[in-house]
Amino acid sequence: MASAIFRSLQVHPFLLYPTTILGRRNGVFHLTTKATQSQTDTQQRHPQTKVSTSSTQSKKLDKIPKDYEAIIGIETHVQLSTLTKAFCGCPYNYGSPPNTSICPICMGLPGALPVLNSKVIEFAVKLGLALNCNLAFNSKFDRKQYFYPDLPKGYQISQFDVPIASAGFLDVDIPVEFGGGHKRFGITRVHMEEDAGKLLHAENGNYSQVDLNRAGVPLLEIVSEPDMRNGIEAAEYAAELQRLVRYLGVSNGNMQEGSLRCDVNVSIRPIGQSEFGTKVEIKNLNSFSSVSRAIDFEISRQVQLHSQGQEDQIVQETRLWEDGSQRTITMRKKEGLADYRYFPEPDLPAVILSQEYVDDIKNSLPELPEIKRRRYEKMGLSMQDVLFLANDKNIAEFFDETLSKGADPKLVANWIMSDIAAFMKNEKLTINEIKLTPEELSELIASIKGGTISGKIGKEVLFELLAKGGTVKELIENKDLVQIVDPVEIEKMVEKVIAENPKQVEQYRGGKTKLQGFFAGQVMKLSKGKANPGLLNRILLEKLNSKS
């Protein structure tokens, strides 16, 4: 009955406002917002206005002078990987045709009542615990009032004064190439809320269409303390958050899909000043490198204005990052704090946690990236090894499983980070998609270490296992790859190579000792790579240095 009403629903407000048409074609809702000419002109003038910048600003700006300090905080929205939305039974699949996963609840139609998805609470508690936060055992939802075309209810269900988690921290390891070291960044709060829809803008700018598939999708907003001081720290903080939500399984964290979105706040102040400078927000950051570069540009821009006595031109505003021109531009000015007129959500009960519920979730948490990195460090691995292995949960699990078979940590790390990583990159595969198993990698390392096969043959075996699977023992036996360790057999091959290359022998004995590599290569070729390298070189040197 309700769907029959939706089919014929059309709204035509006064021409001063956008014209909204909600129709249904082939079982799919279509919502189009068309602006009047005067509005279109206004919208084109304001968001797309180019900010005049001096030629020095458009070029690469100077590094930050040591007499200024940057203050950076990040607001991160994480889209949760629940099967259904936050307050209704609609699924959400990225890339679905517009308005195919919507219902009266996520469309905000009158009389539709929300029902909380319990998985949202579970995921919020998981992340709160992983971020070392204090949990609110009695929290609530609030209505955040504001109007936007893709927010169908005219308000967002969120949390305001009582977030589910607060006062935590996140430990981050800075990569060696950026100076290394450990950093701790404070977490102000983690709260639950719902996402809005998405506007699809026409190329000519005359109208926008609304896709409400994303409306009502559950989010966790993580607000950091203003503890970061440069773009690298901010990017590494965001990357660690992505790593954390993936380890926990609460989100895929894909920035390109909007599953993890970062808005950064940047201000500067002279060293020694306690008051914060004017805060500027930067949006449109769709990669960690964009986060780093946008922040460093904005710091340099603000420092330049300060150094020229024009700090009054730094105003509270939202700026966009232009990846093409590598600069920030004005999106909109902020005259003051928005009054969202929060009040408790009357259609949802309070969220009450029991200690038993929290303890069960705490006991189910996996080994988190920070703990894993410290464990790998204790194995004697370098920080470069540690960061690579712990970056991806699946790679870390593959590494750990290989170790459980008795393999040496450093040797396993070397194989994974070099040949296996190169194969995955070339073939565009994940470690879960390759044919090689942890058991066979351990067996391969043991075969090389025990002298059954040489390192060179080991690589051939590895690529066979990666591409086709199988076992190390089968490949060695079927292809007759067992290393030659019989001194008599190797001696015969050495003598044959020396006899066939008298000119090179004369040159070697005349002082060109680098020719030893040539002879070793010829013997290896003759043995089809199976001669034991150590034994080969010992016998070769004896024969080459012999006067007879």
Side-chain angles (χ1 to χ4, degrees):
M1 179 177 177
S3 62
I5 297 173
F6 301 151
R7 285 194 194 96
S8 58
L9 181 62
Q10 291 191 343
V11 183
H12 299 279
F14 296 107
L15 291 179
L16 290 174
Y17 295 92
T19 302
T20 304
I21 302 174
L22 177 62
R24 186 167 182 166
R25 297 194 298 274
N26 299 323
V28 179
F29 288 108
H30 297 271
L31 182 62
T32 303
T33 302
K34 186 170 183 178
T36 62
Q37 186 64 44
S38 61
Q39 284 179 311
T40 303
D41 292 344
T42 304
Q43 289 171 351
Q44 287 179 335
R45 281 198 304 269
H46 184 60
Q48 299 178 7
T49 301
K50 299 265 182 168
V51 179
S52 60
T53 56
S54 65
S55 59
T56 54
Q57 282 183 329
S58 61
K59 296 176 183 177
K60 187 176 180 180
L61 296 172
D62 295 332
K63 291 184 178 180
I64 307 163
K66 292 182 179 179
D67 48 350
Y68 289 98
E69 178 183 41
I71 308 296
I72 303 160
I74 300 184
E75 297 170 8
T76 308
H77 287 88
V78 174
Q79 181 180 296
L80 301 182
S81 297
T82 53
L83 295 177
T84 57
K85 294 184 182 181
F87 304 110
C88 68
C90 294
Y92 174 73
N93 296 306
Y94 177 78
S96 296
N99 299 310
T100 54
S101 294
I102 57 176
C103 71
I105 295 174
C106 50
M107 290 171 69
L109 296 182
L113 292 175
V115 177
L116 178 58
N117 183 343
S118 62
K119 271 290 180 183
V120 177
I121 301 174
E122 179 187 330
F123 286 179
V125 171
K126 271 189 176 182
L127 187 58
L129 290 170
L131 289 171
N132 308 286
C133 291
N134 298 323
L135 296 179
F137 280 72
N138 192 336
S139 65
K140 64 181 175 64
F141 283 99
D142 301 278
R143 287 188 179 181
K144 183 181 180 182
Q145 313 282 337
Y146 66 94
F147 173 78
Y148 205 69
D150 61 7
L151 190 68
K153 293 191 290 288
Y155 62 85
Q156 179 189 37
I157 299 177
S158 182
Q159 291 190 303
F160 177 50
D161 55 324
V162 189
I164 194 164
S166 58
F169 61 85
L170 180 65
D171 287 324
V172 176
D173 288 311
I174 305 298
V176 177
E177 59 266 32
F178 300 122
H182 308 292
K183 298 279 185 177
R184 175 168 290 184
F185 302 114
I187 301 294
T188 306
R189 58 187 282 143
V190 179
H191 67 258
M192 301 176 284
E193 62 184 23
E194 61 177 341
D195 209 345
K198 184 179 181 181
L199 291 180
L200 308 173
H201 303 291
E203 289 184 9
N204 59 17
N206 287 339
Y207 67 91
S208 295
Q209 295 177 306
V210 183
D211 177 10
L212 294 180
N213 279 347
R214 203 172 65 183
V217 168
L219 301 176
L220 291 179
E221 180 172 350
I222 303 110
V223 181
S224 80
E225 290 289 322
D227 291 344
M228 288 146 257
R229 296 295 176 262
N230 55 57
I232 291 298
E233 289 185 359
E236 290 302 321
Y237 162 86
E240 183 71 3
L241 265 185
Q242 181 193 61
R243 201 172 293 122
L244 189 63
V245 298
R246 287 176 171 175
Y247 265 69
L248 294 171
V250 304
S251 173
N252 63 27
N254 294 338
M255 295 187 80
Q256 66 272 23
E257 296 180 6
S259 298
L260 189 142
R261 311 194 289 268
C262 297
D263 297 334
V264 302
N265 296 302
V266 182
S267 67
I268 65 160
R269 64 185 177 188
I271 294 291
Q273 178 178 304
S274 58
E275 298 83 11
F276 289 167
T278 302
K279 180 176 67 177
V280 172
E281 182 183 40
I282 309 174
K283 289 183 176 288
N284 196 35
L285 303 169
N286 55 15
S287 69
F288 300 131
S289 62
S290 293
V291 170
S292 177
R293 286 181 278 118
I295 288 172
D296 287 344
F297 176 93
E298 184 58 27
I299 292 170
S300 297
R301 186 187 73 87
Q302 292 185 29
V303 165
Q304 190 174 64
L305 290 172
H306 262 275
S307 62
Q308 293 172 352
Q310 299 176 8
E311 56 266 28
D312 57 329
Q313 292 189 25
I314 303 172
V315 295
Q316 189 170 337
E317 62 177 337
T318 298
R319 297 176 73 86
L320 292 176
W321 172 246
E322 277 194 342
D323 209 49
S325 62
Q326 296 287 290
R327 62 174 184 164
T328 62
I329 62 168
T330 296
M331 176 186 175
R332 60 174 179 263
K333 304 287 183 184
K334 288 188 177 181
E335 295 181 357
L337 291 175
D339 181 10
Y340 292 117
R341 295 177 291 124
Y342 283 99
F343 68 83
E345 168 57 67
D347 293 333
L348 288 167
V351 178
I352 300 174
L353 308 177
S354 69
Q355 188 65 54
E356 182 183 6
Y357 176 80
V358 172
D359 289 343
D360 285 345
I361 293 177
K362 189 173 185 179
N363 293 334
S364 72
L365 292 179
E367 184 181 42
L368 300 178
E370 164 67 11
I371 300 170
K372 198 176 287 291
R373 290 195 296 266
R374 301 290 77 81
R375 178 164 64 85
Y376 289 169
E377 269 190 314
K378 290 177 181 177
M379 294 178 183
L381 297 178
S382 70
M383 183 52 67
Q384 185 179 8
D385 296 343
V386 167
L387 292 177
F388 181 92
L389 294 168
N391 180 58
D392 184 293
K393 183 183 178 183
N394 293 324
I395 288 178
E397 287 176 350
F398 189 97
F399 174 75
D400 286 337
E401 196 171 338
T402 308
L403 295 191
S404 71
K405 308 301 177 184
D408 177 80
K410 183 59 181 173
L411 293 176
V412 177
N414 289 345
W415 281 98
I416 291 176
M417 292 174 64
S418 54
D419 296 287
I420 296 174
F423 178 84
M424 291 192 298
K425 183 178 180 181
N426 291 336
E427 301 297 323
K428 295 182 172 58
L429 297 174
T430 67
I431 201 155
N432 290 340
E433 294 170 328
I434 62 176
K435 305 292 185 182
L436 175 71
T437 65
E439 292 84 357
E440 292 311 313
L441 178 58
S442 176
E443 181 67 28
L444 178 64
I445 292 170
S447 297
I448 297 170
K449 197 172 181 181
T452 306
I453 58 174
S454 66
K456 183 180 179 182
I457 289 178
K459 286 198 175 190
E460 295 175 14
V461 171
L462 175 71
F463 287 116
E464 185 86 12
L465 293 170
L466 286 168
K468 299 178 182 178
T471 69
V472 174
K473 288 182 179 178
E474 285 176 354
L475 283 171
I476 292 173
E477 290 173 5
N478 294 342
K479 296 196 174 187
D480 189 24
L481 300 175
V482 176
Q483 187 169 232
I484 300 171
V485 292
D486 181 359
V488 175
E489 190 175 349
I490 292 176
E491 185 176 2
K492 287 178 182 178
M493 287 186 280
V494 169
E495 288 174 347
K496 184 176 185 334
V497 168
I498 288 175
E500 291 175 350
N501 296 277
K503 183 179 178 182
Q504 286 82 358
V505 172
E506 186 179 346
Q507 290 174 335
Y508 174 88
R509 290 173 176 169
K512 291 187 177 180
T513 54
K514 289 184 179 179
L515 283 170
Q516 180 190 344
F518 163 77
F519 290 106
Q522 292 301 305
V523 176
M524 271 298 188
K525 186 177 179 181
L526 186 61
S527 71
K528 297 180 180 178
K530 295 191 291 182
N532 179 281
L535 194 55
L536 183 158
N537 281 302
R538 180 173 63 78
I539 295 171
L540 179 63
L541 282 173
E542 287 175 0
K543 295 293 181 181
L544 287 173
N545 294 327
S546 173
K547 293 181 181 180
S548 58

